[in-house]
Amino acid sequence: MTAPSGLPASLSAMYQELILQHYRAPHGRGVPAAPGVRVGARKNPLCGDAISVGVLLDGDRIAEVGFDGQGCSIATASASMLTEAVRGRSVAEVKAMATAVEAMLRGEAVEGLEGDLRALAGVARYPQRVGCARMAWLALGDALEG
Amino acid sequence: MTAPSGLPASLSAMYQELILQHYRAPHGRGVPAAPGVRVGARKNPLCGDAISVGVLLDGDRIAEVGFDGQGCSIATASASMLTEAVRGRSVAEVKAMATAVEAMLRGEAVEGLEGDLRALAGVARYPQRVGCARMAWLALGDALEG
Amino acid sequence: MTATPVLDALGADSSLASLAPRADFPLLAAQPALHYLDSAATSQKPQVVLDALTNFYTTANANPHRGAYALAAAATDAYAGARETVARFLGAKDADTLVFTRGTTEAMNLVANAWGAAHVREGDEIVITALEHHANFVPWQQLAKRTGAHLRIVELTADQRIDLDHLAALLTPRTRVVAITHVSNAVGSITPVAEVVRLVRETSPAIIVLDGAQGAPHLPVAFDTLGVDFYAFSGHKLLGPMGIGGVLGTRARWLECQPWQFGGDMIEWVNDHDSTWNVLPHRFEAGTPNAADAVGLAAAVRYLEALDMRAVREHELALLRSAHEKLAGLDGLTIYGPPPEQRSGVLSFTLADVHPHDLATILDQHGVCIRAGHHCAQPLMRRLGTSATARASFYVYSDASDVDALVHALVEAQRIFASVAD
Amino acid sequence: MTATPVLDALGADSSLASLAPRADFPLLAAQPALHYLDSAATSQKPQVVLDALTNFYTTANANPHRGAYALAAAATDAYAGARETVARFLGAKDADTLVFTRGTTEAMNLVANAWGAAHVREGDEIVITALEHHANFVPWQQLAKRTGAHLRIVELTADQRIDLDHLAALLTPRTRVVAITHVSNAVGSITPVAEVVRLVRETSPAIIVLDGAQGAPHLPVAFDTLGVDFYAFSGHKLLGPMGIGGVLGTRARWLECQPWQFGGDMIEWVNDHDSTWNVLPHRFEAGTPNAADAVGLAAAVRYLEALDMRAVREHELALLRSAHEKLAGLDGLTIYGPPPEQRSGVLSFTLADVHPHDLATILDQHGVCIRAGHHCAQPLMRRLGTSATARASFYVYSDASDVDALVHALVEAQRIFASVAD
Ligand SMILES: Cc1ncc(COP(=O)(O)O)c(C=O)c1O
Ligand SMILES: Cc1ncc(COP(=O)(O)O)c(C=O)c1O
C-alpha cells in the first residue's frame, strides 16, 4: 500500500493506491438482477452523486451484493470495498461492520475491520468527503431495512 | 411669539407658543356637514394618527373648511392653521400656498406665506416630524382633487 | 443634565447599575449622554457580536454547504455551530429543528404558509389575540381570508393581559392554530404559557405558535418543556445583528409542513416537472444562508448566557419597578399593562395633553430615545381607545440614570405644554 | 508552490494583475497562498464593507421607520440611502422600485408569489430554461404545479447557450412568465437580453424576470433600459454582506403584485378582519428591515462603481481567455459553455478519470478553491449527461497567479490519478 509521492501526508493517506485501484476497477459493479434482491439508494444532493446497493439474502447471509451509480473515487472505492467485505457475511456481522466503518470515518480508532476497508480511514481527515464514503453503507442499510 | 425657555433653540423654534395654542384650542375643528362638501383624509401609519379635511367650494372659492382626526401638536396645529389660512381663498391661491408650505417644511426660505403658518418653519429641523405637519395639507389636496 | 428637585422628591434609586457594562456596547460607549430606551424595537450590539461578524468574513467566508474546500468547510461548520448555540440557548436539544429566518416576521409567514396553508381549511378556526404585533396578526388574518377559516380574536383584561376565560371560550375542536405572543411588545404583558398550553390541549387539536420576539430576549426560554409547537424570534432584539432570527418547531410539526420558499439547499432532487426536498432544517432554508449574521447571533446568545437570562429578567424587573413607581407619581400620566411582575421591561404610557409623538421629540432633545406610536399593534390601540402610546423599554445595558433621565425629560415636556395658557 | 515547467510550456501570462488590490480584502490579504476561485458561489468582502457594517452598528443602530428620535432617523436615512445607492448602481432611477430581500432566492419566490400567484391561471404557460439555477427553476416549477399552468423549458445549444429559436417556438399568447438567467452560474453563458426581450414582446404578454445573481456582480446593468419587468440579485455575490439582495421591478408591475409576506412596515391600516397596505417599496418588505446589511451592500456597490463595471467585465474576460487557453491544453479536459466572449468569468470543466469532487479536494491542498458539483443546476447537469462539473470562477481580486495555480494543481491531480496502473 504505497501512496503517490509529493503530496501532503493526509492527502496521500486518503488517496492511497488501494483506493485509486478500487476506483479505476471497482468490484461488485452491477446490482444483482435476481428475484428477491433488495435495493437501497442514497444521493448526495450537494455533488449530484448517487449510489445504489443491491443485496440478495440467503437466510441470514448475504449471498449476492453489487452496486450501481455515479461517484467520486471515495464513493466508488467505498462501494467497491463494501461489496467485497459483506459478501457471505451474516446481517448481524454486516451491521457491526457498518458501525465500525462509521466510527472510522469519524476518526475513531476501531478494531476488527479487516482488509481493504481500513484504507478508508484517511477520509476522516476530510470531513467534506466523509459523506462520499458513507453513501454506499447508508444505501446498504436501506436495503437491509427495506 | 415667545418660546418656552430652557430648551434647545431648535426645539423652541418648533414648539412655539403659537403652535401650542393652536394645539390646545384648534380652529376649524369639525368637517363641515353641508351637501357638496369634499373630504380628503391622510393617515400616518407609523404613529397611527389621521387627519381629514373637508372643504365646501363656492365657485372657485373655499367657502367652508374644517378638519377632524387625531394628531400630535404639529399635526393638529398645522390643520388648525390651514383652516384659517385657506378660508375664502381661491383654489389657485390655496395650491400656491400648499406648495409654499411644502417648501418651507423642506427648510427652504419662502416668500408670501402669511400669518400663523410661518410658525411651522421650525418643523423643518425635525425631519421625522415633517410628515405630521404635512398631513393636513395632503388631505386638503386630496379633497380638492377628489 | 442635572437632576431636578422634582426627581429627588420622587426618590430616584441611583443604585441600579446596568447588568452589562455599557463599555461593551460601542454605540453606547461613544455617546455617554444617550439614554437608549427603545430596546423593544431593536437592541444595541456588544463588541463581541461585531467581532464575530468581522471574524467570519475575514477567516471563514464562503458559501456554506456547497464547497469541497477547507474554507467552505469552515463556513459550513460556523453556520452549523451557530445553529447548535442558538438552539441550546432556547432550550432545544435537537438543533435541526431550528430554522433560521430573517426574523420573527419571516418566521410567522413561514409557519402560516408551510403549516397553515397545508392544514387550515374553510370553516376551521384560527385564534389570535388583541395583543399581537402585526407580524403575528396579519399573516393569520390573511390566511383566514384566503382559506375561508374564521379568525377569532381573544380579548384582553382591563390591564391588557390575555383574557384566559375568553381564550377558553373560543377554543373548539375546529381550532387549528393558536398564535399568541409570549410577551407583548406594546405593553409588556407576559403570557402565562403553561395555562395557555393546558387550555388548548384540553379542547382542540390546534398547533400553538408563540411569538417570542420579546420573549427570547428578556426571559429564560426552554423550548423543549414549553409544550408549544413553534417558537419564533428575532436576533436583532437580543443583541444580535439585523437580518437573522428563526423559528423552533417540534420535529413532528416540521414534518407536517410543506416547503414554502424554493431554491438551492432546500432541494434533494430537481426533475424537470417536480422536485423532492432536503431534510430538516435545510428544507425550509432556501438559498444561500445568512451564515455571517447567524454567527453574529451565536455570539450574542453566548454573551446573554454569560449574563444569565434569569439575571436579565431580574435586572429588567428592578428597573421596571423603579420606573413604574416614579412615573406613577407624575400628574396626568397613564401606564398601560399589568403590574411589573407580569410585565417584561416595557413601560407604555400616555401623558395628558402631550401627544406621544411630541413627547418622543422633546425626550430626544434630552438624549432619551423612546418609541411613540402604535407599536405595530393597531388592534390593541383601537381597544385602548388611543392612536398611540409612548413606550420606554429596558435591556441589559439600562440603568438607573436612564430611568432618571426619562422622568426628568417627561417633567420638562409637561412644563413646555403647560406653559401655554388654555 | 513553484511554477512547474509544464506551466511555462503552456505560456502563463503572469502580467495579468488583479483589478482590485488584494490588500483591500482582509481574508485574501491574510492568506497570500489562497487562490479563491469560487466567487460565483460567494465573493470575498473588501474592508470598506466590513467598516460600513461596523459603522452602522456603532453610530446609527435603531429600528428604521419606527422611531421619532434622532438615532432612529439616522437608521432610516442610512437604509433609504442604501436603497438609492444600489438602485443607481443597477441603473434604476426610481429607487422605490427596489425591494430588498435576503437574496436572489427570496426575490424569485417573491415575484413568483406576489405577481405569479395573482396572474398565472390553469392552462397558462411559464417559460424557463434548462440553464437555470434552482432558485429560478423550482419556484416556477412549483407555481406551475400549484396553478395548473404548463412549464415550458427552453433547451440549449451544443455550447450551453439558450436556444433562441426554441424560445421563440415556445412563446404563445398564453405565456405569462418568462424567467431567464442573465448569466449562468454553472457554465457562464451570458443571455442576449435584448434578443430575448424582442422575442417575448413580439408574441406574448408575459412578464420577463431576469435572474441577475451572476449578472449584477459581473456586468454593467442598466435596469431602466433593459426592457425586462423584474431583475433579482444577491449582495453576497457582489462584494456585499450575506443576508441582503433585492429585486428591481417596474412600477407598473409592482402595482400588479399582491403582498406576499405580512407584518410590520408593510401595512397601512390593520383592522380586525382585513388590512390595507403601505406604498412601494415597503409593501413588499415585511418586518424589521436588514438595514445594516443594506448599508454594507451600498458600500460594496460604491467600491464596484469606483472600479467601473466595464473594467470588471474586461478584467474577468482577460482572465477567462488566459485560463481557457491554458486549460484547453490539458489532456482529457472538457470545458463547457460558449467561447469566452459570451461567458462571464466562469470556467466549468471535467477532467477524464478524475471526478470533480476529487479534483476539488486535491486542488484545495494546493490552496486552490473551486466548486465541484451540480451548481444548483441539476436540470442542466442532466442535459450535460454528467452529475457534476468542476468550476473555477473569477472576480475583481483574481489575477494570473490564480490561473497558474489552478493549472498547476490540475496537472498534479492528473498525475495522482494516473499513478495507478489500470
Ligand atoms: C444564477 C443564480 N441564481 C440564483 C442564485 C441564488 O442566490 P442566493 O443563494 O444568494 O439566493 C445563485 C447563487 O447561488 C445563482 O448563481
Ligand atoms: C412581539 C413582536 N413580534 C414580532 C415582531 C417582528 O419582528 P421583526 O420585525 O424582527 O421581524 C416584533 C418586533 O418588531 C415584536 O416585538
Side-chain angles (χ1 to χ4, degrees):
Chain A
M1 262 201 279
T2 61
S5 61
L7 285 176
S10 60
L11 195 66
S12 50
M14 179 157 76
Y15 287 119
Q16 292 178 30
E17 199 168 313
L18 193 58
I19 289 203
L20 297 178
Q21 276 165 352
H22 274 276
Y23 175 49
R24 282 298 186 83
H27 306 205
R29 255 275 179 224
V31 166
V37 167
R38 298 169 177 193
V39 183
R42 285 288 171 137
K43 297 164 172 178
N44 183 341
L46 296 182
C47 65
D49 286 344
I51 296 280
S52 51
V53 172
V55 290
L56 186 66
L57 292 183
D58 175 9
D60 185 40
R61 305 234 145 233
I62 292 182
E64 272 301 323
V65 56
F67 81 97
D68 263 330
Q70 285 189 297
C72 60
S73 65
I74 306 300
T76 306
S78 176
S80 167
M81 291 169 175
L82 174 148
T83 63
E84 292 213 303
V86 307
R87 192 174 291 115
R89 304 278 185 154
S90 75
V91 170
E93 282 173 320
V94 167
K95 287 191 171 164
M97 201 184 286
T99 306
V101 168
E102 176 60 30
M104 178 177 72
L105 290 174
R106 281 201 310 265
E108 295 167 24
V110 294
E111 309 259 307
L113 276 182
E114 296 159 18
D116 293 5
L117 276 182
R118 305 187 64 90
L120 289 171
V123 178
R125 301 281 289 273
Y126 293 84
Q128 309 102 282
R129 305 304 300 279
V130 168
C132 309
R134 196 182 268 148
M135 242 190 311
W137 289 92
L138 293 176
L140 173 65
D142 292 349
L144 293 176
E145 298 292 301
Chain B
M1 259 199 282
T2 62
S5 62
L7 286 174
S10 61
L11 194 66
S12 49
M14 180 158 76
Y15 288 120
Q16 293 178 25
E17 199 168 314
L18 193 58
I19 291 203
L20 297 179
Q21 275 165 354
H22 274 278
Y23 175 48
R24 283 296 186 83
H27 304 205
R29 254 274 181 224
V31 166
V37 167
R38 299 170 175 192
V39 182
R42 284 287 170 138
K43 297 164 172 180
N44 183 341
L46 297 184
C47 64
D49 287 342
I51 296 279
S52 51
V53 172
V55 289
L56 186 65
L57 292 183
D58 175 10
D60 185 39
R61 305 231 145 236
I62 292 183
E64 270 303 321
V65 56
F67 81 97
D68 264 329
Q70 285 190 297
C72 61
S73 66
I74 306 300
T76 306
S78 177
S80 167
M81 291 169 175
L82 174 148
T83 63
E84 291 212 305
V86 307
R87 191 173 292 114
R89 304 278 185 151
S90 75
V91 170
E93 282 174 316
V94 167
K95 287 192 169 163
M97 200 185 288
T99 307
V101 168
E102 177 60 31
M104 178 176 72
L105 290 175
R106 282 201 310 266
E108 294 167 24
V110 293
E111 310 258 309
L113 275 183
E114 296 159 19
D116 293 5
L117 277 182
R118 305 186 65 89
L120 290 170
V123 178
R125 303 278 290 274
Y126 293 85
Q128 308 105 283
R129 305 305 299 280
V130 168
C132 309
R134 195 182 269 146
M135 239 190 312
W137 290 92
L138 294 176
L140 173 65
D142 292 350
L144 292 176
E145 298 292 301
Chain C
M1 198 171 21
T2 52
T4 65
V6 179
L7 271 187
D8 295 342
L10 287 167
D13 178 2
S14 322
S15 65
L16 242 141
S18 73
L19 181 65
R22 202 173 158 105
D24 284 0
F25 296 79
L27 185 143
L28 299 176
Q31 302 190 53
L34 190 76
H35 298 285
Y36 184 73
L37 291 173
D38 197 18
S39 291
T42 199
S43 64
Q44 297 305 328
K45 320 302 176 202
Q47 185 65 44
V48 288
V49 167
L50 307 185
D51 290 348
L53 288 177
T54 304
N55 188 51
F56 177 86
Y57 283 127
T58 56
T59 68
N61 180 61
N63 201 317
H65 306 149
R66 301 192 188 173
Y69 48 89
L71 191 63
T76 308
D77 291 349
Y79 187 56
R83 197 186 304 277
E84 296 277 348
T85 302
V86 176
R88 180 192 62 213
F89 172 72
L90 294 172
K93 274 233 173 58
D94 183 351
D96 287 345
T97 61
L98 169 58
V99 168
F100 281 122
T101 63
R102 181 169 37 245
T104 307
T105 304
E106 193 189 16
M108 284 303 173
N109 281 276
L110 168 62
V111 176
N113 282 279
W115 196 92
H119 294 89
V120 175
R121 299 272 166 272
E122 192 176 342
D124 283 346
E125 288 154 13
I126 298 174
V127 173
I128 59 176
T129 86
L131 211 49
E132 301 312 311
H133 187 282
H134 295 158
N136 197 31
F137 195 106
V138 190
W140 302 113
Q141 177 194 71
Q142 296 296 312
L143 178 67
K145 208 182 140 191
R146 210 158 73 231
T147 56
H150 304 291
L151 188 72
R152 307 287 187 214
I153 303 176
V154 181
E155 298 298 334
L156 309 177
T157 62
D159 59 354
Q160 290 87 45
R161 286 172 298 112
I162 292 165
D163 181 342
L164 292 173
D165 293 337
H166 192 217
L167 169 62
L170 289 180
L171 292 168
T172 80
R174 293 292 309 257
T175 311
R176 301 299 286 154
V177 176
V178 177
I180 297 195
T181 195
H182 189 185
V183 174
S184 155
N185 68 305
V187 292
S189 326
I190 299 174
T191 297
V193 177
E195 270 300 278
V196 168
V197 170
R198 199 178 52 71
L199 287 174
V200 175
R201 299 303 186 215
E202 258 171 18
T203 43
S204 89
I207 61 162
I208 304 174
V209 186
L210 276 202
D211 174 348
Q214 304 291 340
H218 303 289
L219 300 175
V221 173
F223 178 75
D224 286 344
T225 60
L226 270 180
V228 304
D229 298 283
F230 292 100
Y231 191 93
F233 65 97
S234 298
H236 69 95
K237 293 187 198 278
L238 49 80
L239 308 184
M242 288 175 157
I244 192 79
V247 52
L248 280 162
T250 62
R251 197 167 263 275
R253 293 305 185 183
W254 277 128
L255 294 179
E256 293 172 6
C257 288
Q258 292 298 318
W260 173 46
Q261 294 192 36
F262 305 99
D265 271 18
M266 59 73 66
I267 57 96
E268 182 195 36
W269 226 243
V270 177
N271 300 311
D272 280 6
H273 293 279
D274 209 353
S275 302
T276 57
W277 316 124
N278 200 345
V279 296
L280 265 185
H282 312 292
R283 181 179 300 195
F284 301 103
E285 292 184 0
T288 301
N290 187 351
D293 287 322
V295 166
L297 175 58
V301 309
R302 279 194 299 269
Y303 186 89
L304 285 172
E305 281 174 338
L307 292 179
D308 186 342
M309 286 306 293
R310 281 162 310 186
V312 170
R313 168 65 185 147
E314 284 311 313
H315 174 66
E316 289 180 25
L317 188 55
L319 285 168
L320 187 60
R321 283 207 182 98
S322 151
H324 196 102
E325 191 188 316
K326 287 175 187 173
L327 262 68
L330 297 182
D331 263 0
L333 198 132
T334 306
I335 297 177
Y336 297 95
E341 292 63 35
Q342 290 165 270
R343 285 225 304 279
S344 80
V346 166
L347 215 137
S348 204
F349 59 93
T350 50
L351 196 54
D353 297 329
V354 191
H355 188 282
H357 218 170
D358 292 311
L359 268 187
T361 299
I362 296 171
L363 266 57
D364 188 32
Q365 297 302 315
H366 291 80
V368 177
C369 305
I370 63 158
R371 176 93 176 274
H374 54 60
H375 315 297
C376 294
Q378 290 178 355
L380 171 62
M381 292 297 127
R382 271 199 303 284
R383 285 159 174 88
L384 295 182
T386 179
S387 65
T389 73
R391 182 190 72 186
S393 52
F394 306 108
Y395 210 8
V396 294
Y397 35 68
S398 310
D399 65 13
S401 78
D402 296 321
V403 175
D404 293 345
L406 170 66
V407 177
H408 174 73
L410 285 175
V411 171
E412 277 287 304
Q414 271 188 318
R415 199 167 62 74
I416 294 175
F417 274 74
S419 69
V420 182
D422 281 69
Chain D
M1 198 172 18
T2 52
T4 65
V6 179
L7 270 188
D8 295 343
L10 287 168
D13 177 2
S14 323
S15 66
L16 243 140
S18 73
L19 181 65
R22 202 173 158 104
D24 284 0
F25 295 79
L27 185 143
L28 300 176
Q31 301 190 55
L34 190 77
H35 298 285
Y36 185 74
L37 291 173
D38 197 18
S39 291
T42 199
S43 63
Q44 296 305 327
K45 320 302 173 202
Q47 185 65 43
V48 289
V49 168
L50 307 187
D51 290 346
L53 287 177
T54 304
N55 188 51
F56 177 85
Y57 284 126
T58 56
T59 68
N61 179 61
N63 202 315
H65 306 150
R66 300 192 189 172
Y69 49 89
L71 191 63
T76 308
D77 291 349
Y79 186 55
R83 197 187 305 276
E84 296 278 348
T85 302
V86 176
R88 181 192 62 213
F89 172 73
L90 294 172
K93 274 232 174 58
D94 184 352
D96 287 345
T97 61
L98 169 59
V99 168
F100 282 121
T101 63
R102 181 170 37 246
T104 306
T105 304
E106 193 190 15
M108 284 304 174
N109 281 277
L110 169 62
V111 176
N113 281 280
W115 196 92
H119 294 89
V120 175
R121 301 269 165 274
E122 190 173 342
D124 284 345
E125 288 155 10
I126 298 173
V127 173
I128 58 176
T129 88
L131 211 49
E132 302 311 313
H133 187 282
H134 295 158
N136 197 32
F137 196 106
V138 190
W140 303 113
Q141 176 194 73
Q142 296 297 312
L143 178 67
K145 208 182 141 192
R146 211 158 69 231
T147 57
H150 304 291
L151 188 72
R152 308 285 188 217
I153 303 175
V154 182
E155 297 298 335
L156 309 177
T157 64
D159 59 355
Q160 292 87 45
R161 287 173 297 111
I162 292 166
D163 181 341
L164 291 174
D165 294 337
H166 193 216
L167 169 62
L170 288 181
L171 292 168
T172 80
R174 293 293 307 258
T175 311
R176 302 297 287 151
V177 176
V178 177
I180 295 194
T181 195
H182 189 185
V183 174
S184 154
N185 68 305
V187 293
S189 326
I190 299 174
T191 297
V193 177
E195 271 299 277
V196 167
V197 170
R198 199 179 52 70
L199 288 173
V200 174
R201 299 302 186 216
E202 260 170 18
T203 42
S204 90
I207 60 162
I208 305 175
V209 186
L210 276 201
D211 174 349
Q214 303 292 339
H218 302 290
L219 300 175
V221 173
F223 177 75
D224 286 344
T225 60
L226 270 181
V228 305
D229 297 281
F230 292 101
Y231 191 94
F233 65 98
S234 299
H236 70 94
K237 293 188 197 276
L238 47 81
L239 309 185
M242 290 176 158
I244 192 81
V247 52
L248 279 162
T250 61
R251 198 166 263 274
R253 292 305 185 183
W254 278 128
L255 294 179
E256 294 172 6
C257 288
Q258 292 299 317
W260 174 46
Q261 294 192 37
F262 304 99
D265 272 16
M266 59 73 65
I267 58 94
E268 183 195 36
W269 226 243
V270 176
N271 299 311
D272 279 6
H273 293 280
D274 209 352
S275 303
T276 58
W277 316 124
N278 200 345
V279 296
L280 264 184
H282 311 293
R283 183 179 297 194
F284 302 103
E285 292 184 0
T288 301
N290 187 350
D293 288 322
V295 165
L297 174 58
V301 308
R302 278 193 300 268
Y303 186 90
L304 285 172
E305 281 174 338
L307 293 178
D308 186 343
M309 286 306 294
R310 282 161 310 186
V312 170
R313 167 66 184 146
E314 283 313 312
H315 174 67
E316 290 180 24
L317 188 55
L319 284 168
L320 188 60
R321 283 206 181 99
S322 151
H324 196 102
E325 192 188 315
K326 288 174 186 173
L327 263 67
L330 297 183
D331 264 359
L333 197 132
T334 307
I335 296 178
Y336 298 95
E341 292 65 33
Q342 291 164 270
R343 284 225 305 279
S344 80
V346 166
L347 217 138
S348 203
F349 59 93
T350 51
L351 196 55
D353 296 332
V354 191
H355 188 282
H357 217 169
D358 291 312
L359 269 186
T361 299
I362 297 170
L363 266 57
D364 187 33
Q365 298 301 315
H366 290 80
V368 178
C369 305
I370 64 158
R371 177 93 175 273
H374 54 61
H375 316 296
C376 295
Q378 290 177 357
L380 172 63
M381 293 296 126
R382 273 197 304 282
R383 285 159 174 87
L384 294 181
T386 179
S387 66
T389 74
R391 181 189 73 185
S393 52
F394 306 109
Y395 210 9
V396 293
Y397 35 69
S398 310
D399 66 13
S401 79
D402 296 322
V403 175
D404 293 346
L406 170 68
V407 177
H408 173 75
L410 285 174
V411 171
E412 277 288 304
Q414 271 187 320
R415 201 167 62 73
I416 294 174
F417 274 74
S419 69
V420 182
D422 283 69

